[in-house]
Amino acid sequence: MTAILVSACLRGVPCRYDGGHKAVSALDEAVAGHEVVSFCPEVAGGLTTPRRPAELVGGDGHAVLDGKARVVDDTGRDVTAAFVDGAHRALEAARRSGCAEALLMPRSPSCGRGAVHDGSFSGELTPGDGVTAALLERNGIAVRPAPGV
């Protein structure tokens, strides 16, 4: 059985910034036949639940990893270090479990794949990946947004 890394909030763990989760039944079919490794990089990086909402500023997760962008919460507090640390912990968990694929929370500053919030806290999206999604992709783990979210 192959392992797949999945955003913990999608598995019903109340670890989102607002203290909730985003469990979706469509995920069950997508992970059928896999060992599921549930993981929240933001909590693993030391952030609390609940916490202030955060967005990427100055670029996407790739730019954060390259030191060209950062992650800030809606009060302007820089939380980049926690997001980068959580991304590395997610990569370690994926490697330890033999994950070749990840299904992650869309639009998230950690887990978003293909589109993330634009840093204005207005709900607008911009093309790009979250910090964890970018690090996983850079290390050969295929990242897909979870279905049904």
Side-chain angles (χ1 to χ4, degrees):
M1 178 181 301
T2 60
I4 187 167
L5 187 77
V6 177
S7 295
C9 62
L10 296 171
R11 299 293 291 166
V13 177
C15 57
R16 285 174 41 90
Y17 75 93
D18 60 4
H21 63 78
K22 280 286 194 175
V24 292
S25 59
L27 188 65
D28 294 339
E29 186 178 323
V31 299
H34 295 279
E35 174 191 341
V36 175
V37 178
S38 296
F39 199 87
C40 177
E42 294 173 26
V43 171
L47 297 174
T48 61
T49 303
R51 58 189 165 275
R52 303 300 307 179
E55 293 190 6
L56 299 157
V57 175
D60 74 347
H62 293 280
V64 169
L65 294 172
D66 294 339
K68 298 176 181 175
R70 53 198 182 100
V71 187
V72 298
D73 72 17
D74 65 347
T75 68
R77 180 175 156 238
D78 190 316
V79 290
T80 303
F83 275 73
V84 171
D85 183 48
H88 282 281
R89 291 174 186 263
L91 177 60
E92 289 171 19
R95 284 180 170 163
R96 189 172 46 251
S97 301
C99 298
E101 182 180 10
L103 287 174
L104 302 180
M105 180 66 199
R107 302 172 298 280
S108 158
S110 289
C111 299
R113 177 75 171 104
V116 291
H117 290 281
D118 70 358
S120 68
F121 295 93
S122 65
E124 294 298 315
L125 298 176
T126 188
D129 298 325
V131 179
T132 298
L135 186 64
L136 294 175
E137 282 282 338
R138 286 183 175 192
N139 285 275
I141 296 172
V143 177
R144 294 186 293 137
V149 183

